[in-house]
Amino acid sequence: MRERISPARSVSGSITLPGDKSISHRYAILGAIAEGTTRLRNYSTGADCASTLGCLRALGIDIEVRADEVVIHGRGLDGLREPAATLDAGNSGSTIRMLSGILAGQPFPTRIGGDESLSRRPMDRIMKPLAEMGARIEARNGRYPPLEIRGAKLRPIDYALPVASAQVKSCVLLAGLYAEGRTTVREPVATRDHTEIALREFGGSVETAGRAISIEGRPRLSARELAVPGDLSSAAFFLVAALLVPGSRLLIQGVGLNPTRSALLDFLASMGARIRILNVAQSAGELAGDVLVEHSPVKGGVIEKALVSSLIDEIPVLAVLGAASDEGLVVRDAAELRVKETDRIATVAENLRRLGVQVEVTPDGMRVPGRQRFRAADLDSFGDHRIAMAFAVAALAAEGECVIESAEAACVSFPEFFQKLRQVVE
Ligand code: S3P
């Protein structure tokens, strides 16, 4: 699908966003292995979170998707059943990596794979700790999906993560549910902590000491009724759109503001963005509130070291903002971007160049000089949801109409994106 985007006069009004993708996956997985009926409001409408539900159904879990809630009939820690076919994680790295942690502890074998993009993403990062725990896992060429997982009675481990990854951390913690005793994961830098928070909500015992997170195995998890906050990573596209287009004033309501995610707002504020946070409240351990953003000239900045994992999903759209900022954007220490849904250093740079924007690519990042103009261009999502949305936002500030090829990729996390964008763009 091609989307045509015309230059915008303003981005204004008020919107709500679908539920956070990361939190939705975790609530669904924990709901499936908890005892009783879990009800989730504002579950992510993205294809990735539907992939998680599909896999859970194939594992014998009864799930009802209603207009206003997802109802998961949990079967307890030992209630999953051997699936009849290969589990399909679609495009979703979170699904394959987190579910593998659960599958490693099952008394039956499973095979799990996904689409072409997922089949190129490294899984050795989860295979290693799960093998240490006692599972046997085979992968294509030793590291790519599909994975053949032979579950086992798992041993608890104390594991120092070699890469900063919430997905790998979560995989080991979820496997730890099936290990007798205490499993510990040590992070090199803090990553999103939705798994820890959700585990506590469902009745698990999780302790955090600095960057070491420990979980007790074989807990009894109980069903919960939960509302998923709006996705801050989806909000990022609207925040940047409003910052870029003069005259904009946009209210984004009910957005997740978990401190391991909200570095985005601090980073934008540090660049001079006019952003206000209103009506903050906590529910089930997760903060949420409204975010008001107004068009502002922004300075530019540097994303490096620990900030990289806090902003990992937002870097594509921040690169767009960087090109229009006063001093530009520098990204370093971000080689992880190369193993996302696409090589996001390459796909961001390619689209920036099509817009006539200069960018210097490095092995672990990029340098985007500021004060650049965007000319009308044919842009491409390259099948990556965040690239589709980041460059739809760039198109709003371009000198003429732009086209986004394969714009349907946005559906992976945010099927309503283009419709919501039209709602607030004049
Ligand atoms: C996610 C963690 C991040 C992020 C992804 C979702 C999660 O991946 O890029 O979109 O839900 O845990 P990594 O943990 O692999 O960096």
Side-chain angles (χ1 to χ4, degrees):
M1 188 184 83
R2 306 175 90 210
E3 280 283 343
R4 293 179 181 283
I5 312 263
S6 302
R9 277 195 303 257
S10 83
V11 180
S12 295
S14 142
I15 51 166
T16 56
L17 300 174
D20 185 88
K21 178 162 87 71
S22 294
I23 297 175
S24 295
H25 286 299
R26 286 152 171 89
Y27 284 177
I29 292 172
L30 292 177
I33 57 169
E35 285 167 33
T37 302
T38 284
R39 294 175 181 277
L40 305 177
R41 274 186 293 118
N42 202 37
Y43 187 81
S44 165
T45 49
D48 269 8
C49 293
S51 294
T52 290
L53 297 184
C55 290
L56 294 172
R57 281 197 179 109
L59 288 161
I61 302 297
D62 184 13
I63 297 173
E64 299 162 66
V65 178
R66 301 185 180 154
D68 57 344
E69 61 179 1
V70 171
V71 183
I72 300 179
H73 299 278
R75 291 171 47 88
L77 216 51
D78 299 311
L80 300 179
R81 294 201 202 107
E82 181 169 349
T86 301
L87 299 177
D88 184 5
N91 190 245
S92 176
S94 303
T95 305
I96 192 169
R97 293 201 178 110
M98 291 200 283
L99 267 185
S100 293
I102 304 269
L103 298 173
Q106 302 304 313
F108 51 79
T110 38
R111 195 164 186 271
I112 183 165
D115 71 7
E116 204 201 312
S117 152
L118 192 69
S119 303
R120 282 187 265 111
R121 298 182 64 188
M123 296 298 142
D124 41 337
R125 53 182 61 193
I126 58 160
M127 292 166 67
K128 186 164 176 284
L130 294 178
E132 269 183 41
M133 295 178 87
R136 279 193 295 142
I137 306 184
E138 276 171 36
R140 192 174 53 80
N141 293 340
R143 70 188 296 231
Y144 299 111
L147 303 178
E148 312 254 4
I149 304 178
R150 295 205 163 266
K153 208 168 167 337
L154 299 179
R155 300 182 280 277
I157 54 169
D158 186 323
Y159 190 70
L161 291 180
V163 279
S165 165
Q167 292 178 352
V168 181
K169 168 176 69 175
S170 303
C171 169
V172 178
L173 292 175
L174 291 171
L177 294 174
Y178 289 88
E180 212 69 68
R182 192 178 168 92
T183 294
T184 299
V185 184
R186 297 174 198 275
E187 304 194 88
V189 298
T191 64
R192 63 193 72 189
D193 64 355
H194 305 301
T195 302
E196 296 88 307
I197 292 173
L199 274 166
R200 287 193 191 104
E201 283 304 311
F202 280 85
S205 164
V206 181
E207 265 177 44
T208 307
R211 290 198 300 273
I213 305 114
S214 301
I215 182 156
E216 291 300 326
R218 305 290 320 166
R220 192 158 164 213
L221 302 178
S222 347
R224 291 293 319 267
E225 292 192 12
L226 300 163
V228 181
D231 196 320
L232 182 59
S233 298
S234 298
F237 302 108
F238 288 91
L239 291 171
V240 172
L243 289 171
L244 278 177
V245 180
S248 299
R249 187 175 196 270
L250 184 68
L251 180 68
I252 310 175
Q253 291 175 294
V255 188
L257 296 171
N258 177 311
T260 61
R261 299 280 294 284
S262 61
L264 169 68
L265 301 177
D266 301 325
F267 184 69
L268 291 173
S270 76
M271 293 209 277
R274 280 192 285 172
I275 291 180
R276 271 165 56 204
I277 298 168
L278 314 160
N279 304 322
V280 179
Q282 197 180 36
S283 169
E286 292 283 356
L287 284 179
D290 303 336
V291 180
L292 179 67
V293 57
E294 287 175 272
H295 164 72
S296 353
V298 292
K299 229 170 42 191
V302 180
I303 302 174
E304 62 180 351
K305 301 182 185 148
L307 193 53
V308 170
S309 48
S310 306
L311 294 177
I312 192 74
D313 292 336
E314 289 76 58
I315 291 174
V317 78
L318 291 174
V320 169
L321 182 64
S325 69
D326 279 350
E327 292 159 18
L329 181 80
V330 176
V331 180
R332 292 194 266 267
D333 309 321
E336 273 296 299
L337 288 174
R338 297 214 181 261
V339 291
K340 291 293 176 188
E341 287 82 331
T342 56
D343 172 344
R344 287 185 175 156
I345 295 177
T347 50
V348 165
E350 170 61 23
N351 279 319
L352 285 177
R353 287 182 182 132
R354 290 186 190 190
L355 286 163
V357 167
Q358 276 179 41
V359 48
E360 186 194 320
V361 164
T362 61
D364 68 348
M366 65 188 97
R367 181 181 294 272
V368 189
R371 295 174 188 264
Q372 302 198 64
R373 290 162 57 146
F374 304 165
R375 63 174 184 232
D378 264 14
L379 305 165
D380 202 319
S381 76
F382 300 102
D384 183 332
H385 57 129
R386 298 203 199 277
I387 300 298
M389 295 186 277
F391 285 90
V393 167
L396 298 175
E399 286 162 352
E401 187 186 85
C402 292
V403 170
I404 317 281
E405 303 283 356
S406 306
E408 71 284 351
C411 296
V412 156
S413 60
F414 194 176
E416 311 84 344
F417 173 73
F418 287 101
Q419 179 210 326
K420 296 248 177 200
L421 194 64
R422 271 184 219 107
Q423 220 176 293
V424 293
V425 164
E426 263 178 53

